[in-house]
Amino acid sequence: MMNRLLDREPESTVIVIDWGPGSDPPYNQACANIRLVGTITAHVIIEIAQQVGLKDLDKVHMIGHSLGSHLSGYTGYTLRKEYNVTLGRITGLDPAELAFADTDEMVRLDPSDAKFVDIVHSDATPFVSNIGLGLYAPIGHVDFYPNGGFNQPNCPVTFWKEQNRFVSSVFQYFSCSHSRSYMYFTESITTPLKVVSCGSYESYNAGECFDCSASNAHCVEFGLNSHASYEQLVNQNKLIPRKNTPIQFFFKTNSYDPFLMPNVKITIKIADTRESRQYGAEIGKIFLYIAGQDGAEPKRIDFNEEPRLFEPGLNYSSVIAVHSNTKPMTVKIGWKYETNLLNPFTWRLLSAPRVFIKQVKLQFLTQQTTLQMCPSNGVGISTNELGVFKEDNCKHKQQHG
């Protein structure tokens, strides 16, 4: 992170706080130590500011991960109480939850600790008595929740991911999602990603929050650039900062580096033709391969992770992170039938299960544009088959009625 920051702003100064021994177990002692380290850091900042002649701390930005987030909060608190100055910005990367959940603002990071406080939540999954490594509650001016704020993609969900490597597997299990906040923010230094505010991850995932121009919707850039885009909204009177009403932003990431890829709302229209109605509703999973102009080999993207009932004539939406920054040229759609033993209407004893897709729409948050693709024919898609959808097919159908 330090190198990327310096590469981006060569004239800036990056100071790394090494409090390694103070963060060692036991955890309760480490929690106590951050108050002392945070206070010392505040005094160091004042000393530096006096030496270089800073009139204020508007350009001082503290970035802390886990306990370091709350350490930064103590620094901001000390500066405000003892020196009557306020830090310009604090970024909390998955602030630690244990010993800080449901506590007074004085003992944890909060919006009063800096003029702008942004939070990245990446590991709020409870693992012992509803306690996760990271806080889920919004505690900043803006709170970002990549992939819902928990269970980051491609992170292990069990201790036994690697055979005969129990210790490393346990470490990966507990640290993978927690450390992703650091990785995502580091990547944002060189890779901007526009995100939109939403009330919940479920609403975002269903495509209900995907319009920057909608009332009460706000779009900012994630990560390092969030402060500038937040201030732009404030200056345009599109946003009124309120201490007790943080804005929550949800988005999806890639499962591997590079993580920050454009989010696209996919809407699939199930055909309402006679043949589609004869087959009736089908239950299963839809997946896609989106090929861009760059010619890169497309990777599989799951439209729905759990089996879902798809009925003729209805639209179904989901938000995904695409694997290419270029314009999609072709979408290949696959279908996997999964029967429900409790629902006889999903049983297919005499015919192969088949889903008839009329069209697929791709809505891009970054460009606020929509791309529509259609199949070359109305033949349904069976399990282990791929239907090919292109933009030209829609134009051809319009021309020929």
Side-chain angles (χ1 to χ4, degrees), residues 69-367:
S69 302
H70 302 300
L71 186 156
S72 301
Y74 280 122
T75 299
Y77 175 83
T78 302
L79 288 169
R80 192 176 73 255
K81 291 297 183 181
E82 294 190 15
Y83 298 99
N84 197 31
V85 292
T86 305
L87 275 174
R89 178 179 178 182
I90 294 177
T91 296
L93 303 177
D94 210 30
E97 179 179 43
L98 183 58
F100 296 95
D102 302 320
T103 57
D104 190 273
E105 290 184 348
M106 189 178 71
V107 298
R108 62 161 173 80
L109 177 61
D110 72 87
S112 69
D113 293 325
K115 293 182 178 179
F116 180 71
V117 176
D118 55 311
I119 309 295
V120 182
H121 304 265
S122 63
D123 188 26
T125 307
F127 64 91
V128 176
S129 302
N130 294 322
I131 296 175
L133 287 182
L135 279 167
Y136 187 81
I139 60 171
H141 292 95
V142 297
D143 287 71
F144 298 99
Y145 295 85
N147 305 298
F150 50 85
N151 287 350
Q152 300 305 307
N154 207 30
C155 281
V157 294
T158 174
F159 291 160
W160 305 102
K161 186 176 182 181
E162 300 179 61
Q163 288 186 338
N164 303 321
R165 300 185 65 183
F166 178 75
V167 175
S168 62
S169 294
V170 170
F171 179 79
Q172 270 291 98
Y173 175 79
F174 284 109
S175 67
C176 182
S177 290
H178 195 43
S179 62
R180 284 288 180 88
S181 59
Y182 176 92
M183 297 179 184
Y184 297 155
F185 188 86
T186 300
E187 191 172 317
S188 77
I189 297 170
T190 54
T191 306
L193 177 69
K194 181 183 285 188
V195 296
V196 63
S197 60
C198 197
S200 70
Y201 184 57
E202 291 73 21
S203 296
Y204 178 78
N205 198 32
E208 298 172 6
C209 309
F210 216 75
D211 185 357
C212 294
S213 61
S215 60
N216 298 323
H218 305 291
C219 283
V220 301
E221 287 193 11
F222 164 72
L224 185 64
N225 297 326
S226 63
H227 189 197
S229 50
Y230 178 86
E231 286 296 315
Q232 186 176 16
L233 290 174
V234 173
N235 294 334
Q236 294 173 348
N237 295 319
K238 295 181 179 179
L239 177 64
I240 301 176
R242 293 172 181 162
K243 175 185 174 183
N244 296 321
T245 54
I247 306 174
Q248 296 173 279
F249 296 87
F250 297 88
F251 62 96
K252 289 190 172 183
T253 71
N254 205 353
S255 58
Y256 49 84
D257 185 13
F259 295 105
L260 304 184
M261 302 301 287
N263 280 205
V264 177
K265 176 183 176 181
I266 305 291
T267 300
I268 292 177
K269 171 76 171 181
I270 305 299
D272 196 27
T273 60
R274 183 175 65 179
E275 190 174 11
S276 178
R277 291 194 300 270
Q278 286 177 344
Y279 269 82
E282 296 283 13
I283 189 169
K285 298 179 182 179
I286 289 177
F287 53 92
L288 311 92
Y289 296 88
I290 302 177
Q293 287 178 320
D294 56 5
E297 183 69 22
K299 295 179 173 59
R300 171 172 166 159
I301 302 173
D302 290 327
F303 179 78
N304 55 301
E305 296 180 357
E306 299 297 329
R308 185 174 185 177
L309 189 67
F310 294 92
E311 301 182 55
L314 298 185
N315 291 317
Y316 298 88
S317 296
S318 181
V319 175
I320 63 172
V322 296
H323 297 139
S324 172
N325 282 305
T326 61
K327 178 184 177 181
M329 302 302 294
T330 302
V331 176
K332 294 182 179 180
I333 299 181
W335 159 259
K336 183 180 180 182
Y337 166 71
E338 294 194 15
T339 186
N340 185 339
L341 296 177
L342 300 179
N343 185 355
F345 291 103
T346 66
W347 298 352
R348 295 292 179 263
L349 303 177
L350 302 177
S351 61
R354 190 178 294 268
V355 63
F356 294 80
I357 298 177
K358 180 180 180 180
Q359 65 183 25
V360 55
K361 288 184 178 180
L362 295 83
Q363 181 180 342
F364 302 87
L365 183 65
T366 49
Q367 296 95 4

